[in-house]
Amino acid sequence: MHTFATLQLSAGVQFMQVSKWLGRSTFTLTLDVYGDYIPEEDGGALNNLPEPSAPAKQADLPSNVVQPFGRSLHIG
């Protein structure tokens, strides 16, 4: 996590975006910990790092629920 944040901020990604990716409730912790890695030039460095992949959706995660007779139950 620390390497990811450092690389992203050094590449010029906005600190608020990095803070969201890290799951922080406020961006101030990100600034306190990683503020030295934010480029001081206007606009920062060109970001040539790939955006992190989206977290897996609930449907993509394996399930331990066994459907009876190979089909899902419909209640309603």
PDB file of all heavy atoms in Angstrom, residues 12-54:
ATOM      1  N   GLY A  12       2.232  12.139 -10.096  1.00  0.00           N
ATOM      2  CA  GLY A  12       1.373  13.292 -10.301  1.00  0.00           C
ATOM      3  C   GLY A  12      -0.113  13.051 -10.148  1.00  0.00           C
ATOM      4  O   GLY A  12      -0.911  13.930 -10.451  1.00  0.00           O
ATOM      5  N   VAL A  13      -0.500  11.865  -9.675  1.00  0.00           N
ATOM      6  CA  VAL A  13      -1.920  11.611  -9.434  1.00  0.00           C
ATOM      7  C   VAL A  13      -2.363  12.479  -8.261  1.00  0.00           C
ATOM      8  O   VAL A  13      -1.638  12.614  -7.270  1.00  0.00           O
ATOM      9  CB  VAL A  13      -2.175  10.122  -9.126  1.00  0.00           C
ATOM     10  CG1 VAL A  13      -3.630   9.868  -8.786  1.00  0.00           C
ATOM     11  CG2 VAL A  13      -1.741   9.257 -10.293  1.00  0.00           C
ATOM     12  N   GLN A  14      -3.545  13.072  -8.367  1.00  0.00           N
ATOM     13  CA  GLN A  14      -4.034  13.970  -7.318  1.00  0.00           C
ATOM     14  C   GLN A  14      -4.182  13.212  -5.999  1.00  0.00           C
ATOM     15  O   GLN A  14      -4.680  12.079  -5.951  1.00  0.00           O
ATOM     16  CB  GLN A  14      -5.366  14.592  -7.718  1.00  0.00           C
ATOM     17  CG  GLN A  14      -5.770  15.694  -6.738  1.00  0.00           C
ATOM     18  CD  GLN A  14      -7.162  16.185  -6.969  1.00  0.00           C
ATOM     19  OE1 GLN A  14      -8.084  15.393  -7.039  1.00  0.00           O
ATOM     20  NE2 GLN A  14      -7.306  17.493  -7.052  1.00  0.00           N
ATOM     21  N   PHE A  15      -3.752  13.836  -4.914  1.00  0.00           N
ATOM     22  CA  PHE A  15      -3.748  13.179  -3.601  1.00  0.00           C
ATOM     23  C   PHE A  15      -5.132  12.743  -3.157  1.00  0.00           C
ATOM     24  O   PHE A  15      -5.277  11.734  -2.464  1.00  0.00           O
ATOM     25  CB  PHE A  15      -3.097  14.070  -2.542  1.00  0.00           C
ATOM     26  CG  PHE A  15      -3.845  15.333  -2.246  1.00  0.00           C
ATOM     27  CD1 PHE A  15      -4.815  15.377  -1.268  1.00  0.00           C
ATOM     28  CD2 PHE A  15      -3.570  16.499  -2.952  1.00  0.00           C
ATOM     29  CE1 PHE A  15      -5.502  16.538  -0.990  1.00  0.00           C
ATOM     30  CE2 PHE A  15      -4.241  17.664  -2.685  1.00  0.00           C
ATOM     31  CZ  PHE A  15      -5.226  17.687  -1.702  1.00  0.00           C
ATOM     32  N   MET A  16      -6.173  13.468  -3.564  1.00  0.00           N
ATOM     33  CA  MET A  16      -7.526  13.071  -3.146  1.00  0.00           C
ATOM     34  C   MET A  16      -7.930  11.754  -3.812  1.00  0.00           C
ATOM     35  O   MET A  16      -8.594  10.926  -3.202  1.00  0.00           O
ATOM     36  CB  MET A  16      -8.527  14.178  -3.444  1.00  0.00           C
ATOM     37  CG  MET A  16      -8.278  15.405  -2.566  1.00  0.00           C
ATOM     38  SD  MET A  16      -9.429  16.732  -2.867  1.00  0.00           S
ATOM     39  CE  MET A  16     -10.810  16.149  -1.920  1.00  0.00           C
ATOM     40  N   GLN A  17      -7.504  11.547  -5.063  1.00  0.00           N
ATOM     41  CA  GLN A  17      -7.796  10.288  -5.751  1.00  0.00           C
ATOM     42  C   GLN A  17      -7.040   9.138  -5.090  1.00  0.00           C
ATOM     43  O   GLN A  17      -7.589   8.070  -4.861  1.00  0.00           O
ATOM     44  CB  GLN A  17      -7.432  10.382  -7.232  1.00  0.00           C
ATOM     45  CG  GLN A  17      -7.714   9.101  -7.992  1.00  0.00           C
ATOM     46  CD  GLN A  17      -9.185   8.736  -7.971  1.00  0.00           C
ATOM     47  OE1 GLN A  17     -10.024   9.528  -8.349  1.00  0.00           O
ATOM     48  NE2 GLN A  17      -9.492   7.535  -7.526  1.00  0.00           N
ATOM     49  N   VAL A  18      -5.770   9.360  -4.778  1.00  0.00           N
ATOM     50  CA  VAL A  18      -4.981   8.327  -4.109  1.00  0.00           C
ATOM     51  C   VAL A  18      -5.599   7.999  -2.749  1.00  0.00           C
ATOM     52  O   VAL A  18      -5.687   6.838  -2.364  1.00  0.00           O
ATOM     53  CB  VAL A  18      -3.510   8.767  -3.964  1.00  0.00           C
ATOM     54  CG1 VAL A  18      -2.718   7.765  -3.145  1.00  0.00           C
ATOM     55  CG2 VAL A  18      -2.873   8.962  -5.335  1.00  0.00           C
ATOM     56  N   SER A  19      -6.055   9.004  -2.052  1.00  0.00           N
ATOM     57  CA  SER A  19      -6.697   8.803  -0.759  1.00  0.00           C
ATOM     58  C   SER A  19      -7.933   7.915  -0.889  1.00  0.00           C
ATOM     59  O   SER A  19      -8.160   7.018  -0.078  1.00  0.00           O
ATOM     60  CB  SER A  19      -7.072  10.157  -0.150  1.00  0.00           C
ATOM     61  OG  SER A  19      -7.593   9.996   1.139  1.00  0.00           O
ATOM     62  N   LYS A  20      -8.728   8.138  -1.946  1.00  0.00           N
ATOM     63  CA  LYS A  20      -9.908   7.291  -2.185  1.00  0.00           C
ATOM     64  C   LYS A  20      -9.496   5.861  -2.469  1.00  0.00           C
ATOM     65  O   LYS A  20     -10.097   4.920  -1.971  1.00  0.00           O
ATOM     66  CB  LYS A  20     -10.724   7.833  -3.361  1.00  0.00           C
ATOM     67  CG  LYS A  20     -11.495   9.078  -3.045  1.00  0.00           C
ATOM     68  CD  LYS A  20     -12.275   9.529  -4.272  1.00  0.00           C
ATOM     69  CE  LYS A  20     -12.940  10.861  -4.041  1.00  0.00           C
ATOM     70  NZ  LYS A  20     -13.661  11.310  -5.246  1.00  0.00           N
ATOM     71  N   TRP A  21      -8.463   5.687  -3.320  1.00  0.00           N
ATOM     72  CA  TRP A  21      -7.996   4.337  -3.647  1.00  0.00           C
ATOM     73  C   TRP A  21      -7.499   3.608  -2.412  1.00  0.00           C
ATOM     74  O   TRP A  21      -7.636   2.397  -2.303  1.00  0.00           O
ATOM     75  CB  TRP A  21      -6.890   4.392  -4.685  1.00  0.00           C
ATOM     76  CG  TRP A  21      -7.356   4.725  -6.072  1.00  0.00           C
ATOM     77  CD1 TRP A  21      -8.606   4.533  -6.594  1.00  0.00           C
ATOM     78  CD2 TRP A  21      -6.583   5.291  -7.114  1.00  0.00           C
ATOM     79  NE1 TRP A  21      -8.651   4.955  -7.897  1.00  0.00           N
ATOM     80  CE2 TRP A  21      -7.416   5.418  -8.254  1.00  0.00           C
ATOM     81  CE3 TRP A  21      -5.256   5.693  -7.218  1.00  0.00           C
ATOM     82  CZ2 TRP A  21      -6.974   5.936  -9.452  1.00  0.00           C
ATOM     83  CZ3 TRP A  21      -4.819   6.209  -8.412  1.00  0.00           C
ATOM     84  CH2 TRP A  21      -5.666   6.325  -9.519  1.00  0.00           C
ATOM     85  N   LEU A  22      -6.919   4.360  -1.464  1.00  0.00           N
ATOM     86  CA  LEU A  22      -6.428   3.745  -0.229  1.00  0.00           C
ATOM     87  C   LEU A  22      -7.554   3.465   0.765  1.00  0.00           C
ATOM     88  O   LEU A  22      -7.334   2.798   1.768  1.00  0.00           O
ATOM     89  CB  LEU A  22      -5.380   4.648   0.433  1.00  0.00           C
ATOM     90  CG  LEU A  22      -4.085   4.857  -0.346  1.00  0.00           C
ATOM     91  CD1 LEU A  22      -3.202   5.875   0.376  1.00  0.00           C
ATOM     92  CD2 LEU A  22      -3.351   3.545  -0.536  1.00  0.00           C
ATOM     93  N   GLY A  23      -8.739   3.994   0.492  1.00  0.00           N
ATOM     94  CA  GLY A  23      -9.881   3.762   1.375  1.00  0.00           C
ATOM     95  C   GLY A  23      -9.900   4.656   2.599  1.00  0.00           C
ATOM     96  O   GLY A  23     -10.522   4.326   3.606  1.00  0.00           O
ATOM     97  N   ARG A  24      -9.229   5.781   2.512  1.00  0.00           N
ATOM     98  CA  ARG A  24      -9.189   6.712   3.653  1.00  0.00           C
ATOM     99  C   ARG A  24     -10.506   7.471   3.761  1.00  0.00           C
ATOM    100  O   ARG A  24     -11.113   7.829   2.751  1.00  0.00           O
ATOM    101  CB  ARG A  24      -8.061   7.722   3.475  1.00  0.00           C
ATOM    102  CG  ARG A  24      -6.707   7.122   3.244  1.00  0.00           C
ATOM    103  CD  ARG A  24      -6.083   6.722   4.557  1.00  0.00           C
ATOM    104  NE  ARG A  24      -4.701   6.332   4.340  1.00  0.00           N
ATOM    105  CZ  ARG A  24      -4.229   5.150   4.675  1.00  0.00           C
ATOM    106  NH1 ARG A  24      -5.005   4.265   5.228  1.00  0.00           N
ATOM    107  NH2 ARG A  24      -2.961   4.857   4.471  1.00  0.00           N
ATOM    108  N   SER A  25     -10.941   7.736   4.979  1.00  0.00           N
ATOM    109  CA  SER A  25     -12.168   8.512   5.170  1.00  0.00           C
ATOM    110  C   SER A  25     -11.914  10.005   4.963  1.00  0.00           C
ATOM    111  O   SER A  25     -12.822  10.743   4.604  1.00  0.00           O
ATOM    112  CB  SER A  25     -12.743   8.262   6.564  1.00  0.00           C
ATOM    113  OG  SER A  25     -11.789   8.597   7.549  1.00  0.00           O
ATOM    114  N   THR A  26     -10.680  10.444   5.189  1.00  0.00           N
ATOM    115  CA  THR A  26     -10.309  11.839   4.924  1.00  0.00           C
ATOM    116  C   THR A  26      -8.967  11.845   4.188  1.00  0.00           C
ATOM    117  O   THR A  26      -8.165  10.925   4.326  1.00  0.00           O
ATOM    118  CB  THR A  26     -10.163  12.673   6.211  1.00  0.00           C
ATOM    119  OG1 THR A  26      -9.065  12.160   6.972  1.00  0.00           O
ATOM    120  CG2 THR A  26     -11.434  12.635   7.041  1.00  0.00           C
ATOM    121  N   PHE A  27      -8.735  12.888   3.413  1.00  0.00           N
ATOM    122  CA  PHE A  27      -7.486  12.970   2.652  1.00  0.00           C
ATOM    123  C   PHE A  27      -6.338  13.511   3.484  1.00  0.00           C
ATOM    124  O   PHE A  27      -5.182  13.444   3.073  1.00  0.00           O
ATOM    125  CB  PHE A  27      -7.672  13.819   1.393  1.00  0.00           C
ATOM    126  CG  PHE A  27      -8.031  15.245   1.659  1.00  0.00           C
ATOM    127  CD1 PHE A  27      -7.063  16.186   1.899  1.00  0.00           C
ATOM    128  CD2 PHE A  27      -9.365  15.642   1.678  1.00  0.00           C
ATOM    129  CE1 PHE A  27      -7.386  17.506   2.150  1.00  0.00           C
ATOM    130  CE2 PHE A  27      -9.707  16.959   1.922  1.00  0.00           C
ATOM    131  CZ  PHE A  27      -8.715  17.895   2.161  1.00  0.00           C
ATOM    132  N   THR A  28      -6.615  14.029   4.678  1.00  0.00           N
ATOM    133  CA  THR A  28      -5.542  14.628   5.487  1.00  0.00           C
ATOM    134  C   THR A  28      -4.502  13.598   5.917  1.00  0.00           C
ATOM    135  O   THR A  28      -3.324  13.920   5.983  1.00  0.00           O
ATOM    136  CB  THR A  28      -6.115  15.350   6.724  1.00  0.00           C
ATOM    137  OG1 THR A  28      -6.931  14.442   7.465  1.00  0.00           O
ATOM    138  CG2 THR A  28      -6.947  16.558   6.317  1.00  0.00           C
ATOM    139  N   LEU A  29      -4.907  12.375   6.180  1.00  0.00           N
ATOM    140  CA  LEU A  29      -3.941  11.341   6.547  1.00  0.00           C
ATOM    141  C   LEU A  29      -2.993  11.071   5.383  1.00  0.00           C
ATOM    142  O   LEU A  29      -1.786  10.935   5.565  1.00  0.00           O
ATOM    143  CB  LEU A  29      -4.652  10.050   6.961  1.00  0.00           C
ATOM    144  CG  LEU A  29      -3.736   8.885   7.332  1.00  0.00           C
ATOM    145  CD1 LEU A  29      -2.851   9.251   8.517  1.00  0.00           C
ATOM    146  CD2 LEU A  29      -4.548   7.644   7.635  1.00  0.00           C
ATOM    147  N   THR A  30      -3.545  11.031   4.184  1.00  0.00           N
ATOM    148  CA  THR A  30      -2.712  10.831   2.998  1.00  0.00           C
ATOM    149  C   THR A  30      -1.701  11.963   2.862  1.00  0.00           C
ATOM    150  O   THR A  30      -0.526  11.726   2.573  1.00  0.00           O
ATOM    151  CB  THR A  30      -3.599  10.737   1.736  1.00  0.00           C
ATOM    152  OG1 THR A  30      -4.539   9.683   1.910  1.00  0.00           O
ATOM    153  CG2 THR A  30      -2.763  10.476   0.495  1.00  0.00           C
ATOM    154  N   LEU A  31      -2.142  13.194   3.063  1.00  0.00           N
ATOM    155  CA  LEU A  31      -1.220  14.338   2.978  1.00  0.00           C
ATOM    156  C   LEU A  31      -0.163  14.277   4.069  1.00  0.00           C
ATOM    157  O   LEU A  31       1.013  14.576   3.822  1.00  0.00           O
ATOM    158  CB  LEU A  31      -1.994  15.647   3.073  1.00  0.00           C
ATOM    159  CG  LEU A  31      -2.761  16.068   1.832  1.00  0.00           C
ATOM    160  CD1 LEU A  31      -3.574  17.323   2.119  1.00  0.00           C
ATOM    161  CD2 LEU A  31      -1.823  16.294   0.673  1.00  0.00           C
ATOM    162  N   ASP A  32      -0.563  13.921   5.283  1.00  0.00           N
ATOM    163  CA  ASP A  32       0.392  13.851   6.392  1.00  0.00           C
ATOM    164  C   ASP A  32       1.474  12.804   6.145  1.00  0.00           C
ATOM    165  O   ASP A  32       2.656  13.045   6.388  1.00  0.00           O
ATOM    166  CB  ASP A  32      -0.319  13.529   7.704  1.00  0.00           C
ATOM    167  CG  ASP A  32      -1.159  14.687   8.221  1.00  0.00           C
ATOM    168  OD1 ASP A  32      -0.954  15.825   7.772  1.00  0.00           O
ATOM    169  OD2 ASP A  32      -2.034  14.431   9.081  1.00  0.00           O
ATOM    170  N   VAL A  33       1.068  11.640   5.650  1.00  0.00           N
ATOM    171  CA  VAL A  33       2.014  10.539   5.478  1.00  0.00           C
ATOM    172  C   VAL A  33       2.821  10.668   4.193  1.00  0.00           C
ATOM    173  O   VAL A  33       4.027  10.418   4.178  1.00  0.00           O
ATOM    174  CB  VAL A  33       1.265   9.182   5.507  1.00  0.00           C
ATOM    175  CG1 VAL A  33       2.211   8.027   5.205  1.00  0.00           C
ATOM    176  CG2 VAL A  33       0.580   8.976   6.850  1.00  0.00           C
ATOM    177  N   TYR A  34       2.174  11.062   3.090  1.00  0.00           N
ATOM    178  CA  TYR A  34       2.809  11.015   1.781  1.00  0.00           C
ATOM    179  C   TYR A  34       3.029  12.384   1.140  1.00  0.00           C
ATOM    180  O   TYR A  34       3.394  12.455  -0.033  1.00  0.00           O
ATOM    181  CB  TYR A  34       1.963  10.166   0.824  1.00  0.00           C
ATOM    182  CG  TYR A  34       1.729   8.764   1.329  1.00  0.00           C
ATOM    183  CD1 TYR A  34       0.494   8.385   1.838  1.00  0.00           C
ATOM    184  CD2 TYR A  34       2.747   7.819   1.307  1.00  0.00           C
ATOM    185  CE1 TYR A  34       0.280   7.105   2.310  1.00  0.00           C
ATOM    186  CE2 TYR A  34       2.546   6.539   1.774  1.00  0.00           C
ATOM    187  CZ  TYR A  34       1.309   6.189   2.267  1.00  0.00           C
ATOM    188  OH  TYR A  34       1.104   4.916   2.737  1.00  0.00           O
ATOM    189  N   GLY A  35       2.836  13.447   1.882  1.00  0.00           N
ATOM    190  CA  GLY A  35       2.950  14.793   1.327  1.00  0.00           C
ATOM    191  C   GLY A  35       4.287  15.097   0.680  1.00  0.00           C
ATOM    192  O   GLY A  35       4.357  15.847  -0.291  1.00  0.00           O
ATOM    193  N   ASP A  36       5.356  14.499   1.168  1.00  0.00           N
ATOM    194  CA  ASP A  36       6.688  14.750   0.603  1.00  0.00           C
ATOM    195  C   ASP A  36       6.835  14.185  -0.808  1.00  0.00           C
ATOM    196  O   ASP A  36       7.753  14.563  -1.537  1.00  0.00           O
ATOM    197  CB  ASP A  36       7.770  14.141   1.490  1.00  0.00           C
ATOM    198  CG  ASP A  36       7.901  14.873   2.813  1.00  0.00           C
ATOM    199  OD1 ASP A  36       7.462  16.037   2.901  1.00  0.00           O
ATOM    200  OD2 ASP A  36       8.443  14.272   3.764  1.00  0.00           O
ATOM    201  N   TYR A  37       5.955  13.287  -1.204  1.00  0.00           N
ATOM    202  CA  TYR A  37       6.061  12.655  -2.527  1.00  0.00           C
ATOM    203  C   TYR A  37       5.227  13.359  -3.589  1.00  0.00           C
ATOM    204  O   TYR A  37       5.216  12.948  -4.739  1.00  0.00           O
ATOM    205  CB  TYR A  37       5.651  11.184  -2.438  1.00  0.00           C
ATOM    206  CG  TYR A  37       6.560  10.405  -1.524  1.00  0.00           C
ATOM    207  CD1 TYR A  37       6.177  10.101  -0.227  1.00  0.00           C
ATOM    208  CD2 TYR A  37       7.819  10.013  -1.954  1.00  0.00           C
ATOM    209  CE1 TYR A  37       7.027   9.403   0.611  1.00  0.00           C
ATOM    210  CE2 TYR A  37       8.679   9.321  -1.115  1.00  0.00           C
ATOM    211  CZ  TYR A  37       8.269   9.009   0.172  1.00  0.00           C
ATOM    212  OH  TYR A  37       9.109   8.333   1.010  1.00  0.00           O
ATOM    213  N   ILE A  38       4.508  14.412  -3.209  1.00  0.00           N
ATOM    214  CA  ILE A  38       3.702  15.161  -4.166  1.00  0.00           C
ATOM    215  C   ILE A  38       4.612  16.183  -4.847  1.00  0.00           C
ATOM    216  O   ILE A  38       5.231  17.013  -4.181  1.00  0.00           O
ATOM    217  CB  ILE A  38       2.519  15.865  -3.466  1.00  0.00           C
ATOM    218  CG1 ILE A  38       1.606  14.826  -2.821  1.00  0.00           C
ATOM    219  CG2 ILE A  38       1.755  16.739  -4.449  1.00  0.00           C
ATOM    220  CD1 ILE A  38       0.510  15.406  -1.956  1.00  0.00           C
ATOM    221  N   PRO A  39       4.708  16.127  -6.188  1.00  0.00           N
ATOM    222  CA  PRO A  39       5.565  17.079  -6.901  1.00  0.00           C
ATOM    223  C   PRO A  39       5.111  18.516  -6.648  1.00  0.00           C
ATOM    224  O   PRO A  39       3.917  18.795  -6.576  1.00  0.00           O
ATOM    225  CB  PRO A  39       5.381  16.711  -8.371  1.00  0.00           C
ATOM    226  CG  PRO A  39       4.840  15.326  -8.373  1.00  0.00           C
ATOM    227  CD  PRO A  39       4.066  15.191  -7.098  1.00  0.00           C
ATOM    228  N   GLU A  40       6.068  19.421  -6.514  1.00  0.00           N
ATOM    229  CA  GLU A  40       5.740  20.810  -6.216  1.00  0.00           C
ATOM    230  C   GLU A  40       5.478  21.638  -7.465  1.00  0.00           C
ATOM    231  O   GLU A  40       4.898  22.708  -7.381  1.00  0.00           O
ATOM    232  CB  GLU A  40       6.869  21.439  -5.401  1.00  0.00           C
ATOM    233  CG  GLU A  40       6.990  20.824  -4.030  1.00  0.00           C
ATOM    234  CD  GLU A  40       8.066  21.489  -3.183  1.00  0.00           C
ATOM    235  OE1 GLU A  40       8.494  22.612  -3.520  1.00  0.00           O
ATOM    236  OE2 GLU A  40       8.465  20.881  -2.202  1.00  0.00           O
ATOM    237  N   GLU A  41       5.882  21.140  -8.647  1.00  0.00           N
ATOM    238  CA  GLU A  41       5.674  21.887  -9.875  1.00  0.00           C
ATOM    239  C   GLU A  41       4.176  21.996 -10.161  1.00  0.00           C
ATOM    240  O   GLU A  41       3.399  21.151  -9.757  1.00  0.00           O
ATOM    241  CB  GLU A  41       6.348  21.205 -11.073  1.00  0.00           C
ATOM    242  CG  GLU A  41       7.822  20.985 -10.930  1.00  0.00           C
ATOM    243  CD  GLU A  41       8.132  19.679 -10.214  1.00  0.00           C
ATOM    244  OE1 GLU A  41       7.414  18.693 -10.402  1.00  0.00           O
ATOM    245  OE2 GLU A  41       9.084  19.677  -9.435  1.00  0.00           O
ATOM    246  N   ASP A  42       3.797  23.034 -10.881  1.00  0.00           N
ATOM    247  CA  ASP A  42       2.398  23.190 -11.270  1.00  0.00           C
ATOM    248  C   ASP A  42       1.946  21.988 -12.073  1.00  0.00           C
ATOM    249  O   ASP A  42       2.561  21.636 -13.063  1.00  0.00           O
ATOM    250  CB  ASP A  42       2.200  24.448 -12.104  1.00  0.00           C
ATOM    251  CG  ASP A  42       1.564  25.560 -11.317  1.00  0.00           C
ATOM    252  OD1 ASP A  42       1.107  25.308 -10.191  1.00  0.00           O
ATOM    253  OD2 ASP A  42       1.515  26.661 -11.850  1.00  0.00           O
ATOM    254  N   GLY A  43       0.877  21.356 -11.656  1.00  0.00           N
ATOM    255  CA  GLY A  43       0.332  20.216 -12.371  1.00  0.00           C
ATOM    256  C   GLY A  43       1.019  18.904 -12.078  1.00  0.00           C
ATOM    257  O   GLY A  43       0.531  17.856 -12.444  1.00  0.00           O
ATOM    258  N   GLY A  44       2.140  18.908 -11.425  1.00  0.00           N
ATOM    259  CA  GLY A  44       2.823  17.669 -11.099  1.00  0.00           C
ATOM    260  C   GLY A  44       3.432  17.009 -12.323  1.00  0.00           C
ATOM    261  O   GLY A  44       3.434  17.549 -13.422  1.00  0.00           O
ATOM    262  N   ALA A  45       3.943  15.835 -12.135  1.00  0.00           N
ATOM    263  CA  ALA A  45       4.560  15.082 -13.227  1.00  0.00           C
ATOM    264  C   ALA A  45       3.494  14.415 -14.074  1.00  0.00           C
ATOM    265  O   ALA A  45       2.356  14.252 -13.645  1.00  0.00           O
ATOM    266  CB  ALA A  45       5.504  14.036 -12.640  1.00  0.00           C
ATOM    267  N   LEU A  46       3.875  14.032 -15.261  1.00  0.00           N
ATOM    268  CA  LEU A  46       2.968  13.307 -16.130  1.00  0.00           C
ATOM    269  C   LEU A  46       2.699  11.935 -15.522  1.00  0.00           C
ATOM    270  O   LEU A  46       3.628  11.222 -15.161  1.00  0.00           O
ATOM    271  CB  LEU A  46       3.590  13.138 -17.512  1.00  0.00           C
ATOM    272  CG  LEU A  46       2.798  12.298 -18.508  1.00  0.00           C
ATOM    273  CD1 LEU A  46       1.453  12.986 -18.804  1.00  0.00           C
ATOM    274  CD2 LEU A  46       3.586  12.136 -19.789  1.00  0.00           C
ATOM    275  N   ASN A  47       1.437  11.580 -15.394  1.00  0.00           N
ATOM    276  CA  ASN A  47       1.087  10.281 -14.825  1.00  0.00           C
ATOM    277  C   ASN A  47       1.144   9.225 -15.909  1.00  0.00           C
ATOM    278  O   ASN A  47       0.305   9.172 -16.780  1.00  0.00           O
ATOM    279  CB  ASN A  47      -0.312  10.333 -14.203  1.00  0.00           C
ATOM    280  CG  ASN A  47      -0.694   8.996 -13.612  1.00  0.00           C
ATOM    281  OD1 ASN A  47       0.142   8.129 -13.429  1.00  0.00           O
ATOM    282  ND2 ASN A  47      -1.965   8.835 -13.306  1.00  0.00           N
ATOM    283  N   ASN A  48       2.144   8.373 -15.844  1.00  0.00           N
ATOM    284  CA  ASN A  48       2.244   7.287 -16.801  1.00  0.00           C
ATOM    285  C   ASN A  48       2.006   5.928 -16.146  1.00  0.00           C
ATOM    286  O   ASN A  48       2.315   4.900 -16.717  1.00  0.00           O
ATOM    287  CB  ASN A  48       3.598   7.308 -17.514  1.00  0.00           C
ATOM    288  CG  ASN A  48       4.751   7.270 -16.531  1.00  0.00           C
ATOM    289  OD1 ASN A  48       4.555   7.132 -15.331  1.00  0.00           O
ATOM    290  ND2 ASN A  48       5.957   7.386 -17.046  1.00  0.00           N
ATOM    291  N   LEU A  49       1.469   5.930 -14.942  1.00  0.00           N
ATOM    292  CA  LEU A  49       1.159   4.688 -14.252  1.00  0.00           C
ATOM    293  C   LEU A  49      -0.274   4.269 -14.571  1.00  0.00           C
ATOM    294  O   LEU A  49      -1.153   5.102 -14.703  1.00  0.00           O
ATOM    295  CB  LEU A  49       1.299   4.856 -12.734  1.00  0.00           C
ATOM    296  CG  LEU A  49       2.702   5.178 -12.234  1.00  0.00           C
ATOM    297  CD1 LEU A  49       2.666   5.479 -10.740  1.00  0.00           C
ATOM    298  CD2 LEU A  49       3.632   4.009 -12.499  1.00  0.00           C
ATOM    299  N   PRO A  50      -0.520   2.978 -14.692  1.00  0.00           N
ATOM    300  CA  PRO A  50      -1.886   2.532 -14.967  1.00  0.00           C
ATOM    301  C   PRO A  50      -2.783   2.741 -13.757  1.00  0.00           C
ATOM    302  O   PRO A  50      -2.330   2.697 -12.614  1.00  0.00           O
ATOM    303  CB  PRO A  50      -1.722   1.039 -15.266  1.00  0.00           C
ATOM    304  CG  PRO A  50      -0.465   0.652 -14.569  1.00  0.00           C
ATOM    305  CD  PRO A  50       0.411   1.875 -14.587  1.00  0.00           C
ATOM    306  N   GLU A  51      -4.054   2.991 -14.036  1.00  0.00           N
ATOM    307  CA  GLU A  51      -5.030   3.127 -12.950  1.00  0.00           C
ATOM    308  C   GLU A  51      -5.246   1.755 -12.334  1.00  0.00           C
ATOM    309  O   GLU A  51      -5.268   0.745 -13.036  1.00  0.00           O
ATOM    310  CB  GLU A  51      -6.345   3.668 -13.505  1.00  0.00           C
ATOM    311  CG  GLU A  51      -7.336   4.002 -12.424  1.00  0.00           C
ATOM    312  CD  GLU A  51      -8.507   4.809 -12.957  1.00  0.00           C
ATOM    313  OE1 GLU A  51      -8.294   5.695 -13.798  1.00  0.00           O
ATOM    314  OE2 GLU A  51      -9.632   4.522 -12.521  1.00  0.00           O
ATOM    315  N   PRO A  52      -5.388   1.674 -11.012  1.00  0.00           N
ATOM    316  CA  PRO A  52      -5.599   0.366 -10.386  1.00  0.00           C
ATOM    317  C   PRO A  52      -6.897  -0.262 -10.870  1.00  0.00           C
ATOM    318  O   PRO A  52      -7.856   0.440 -11.194  1.00  0.00           O
ATOM    319  CB  PRO A  52      -5.647   0.681  -8.889  1.00  0.00           C
ATOM    320  CG  PRO A  52      -5.927   2.123  -8.800  1.00  0.00           C
ATOM    321  CD  PRO A  52      -5.413   2.760 -10.055  1.00  0.00           C
ATOM    322  N   SER A  53      -6.903  -1.566 -10.904  1.00  0.00           N
ATOM    323  CA  SER A  53      -8.107  -2.261 -11.356  1.00  0.00           C
ATOM    324  C   SER A  53      -9.212  -2.125 -10.318  1.00  0.00           C
ATOM    325  O   SER A  53      -8.952  -1.956  -9.131  1.00  0.00           O
ATOM    326  CB  SER A  53      -7.803  -3.729 -11.609  1.00  0.00           C
ATOM    327  OG  SER A  53      -7.334  -4.334 -10.426  1.00  0.00           O
ATOM    328  N   ALA A  54     -10.436  -2.190 -10.803  1.00  0.00           N
ATOM    329  CA  ALA A  54     -11.597  -2.075  -9.916  1.00  0.00           C
ATOM    330  C   ALA A  54     -11.681  -3.307  -9.028  1.00  0.00           C
ATOM    331  O   ALA A  54     -11.325  -4.409  -9.449  1.00  0.00           O
ATOM    332  CB  ALA A  54     -12.867  -1.927 -10.737  1.00  0.00           C
TER     333      ALA A  54
END
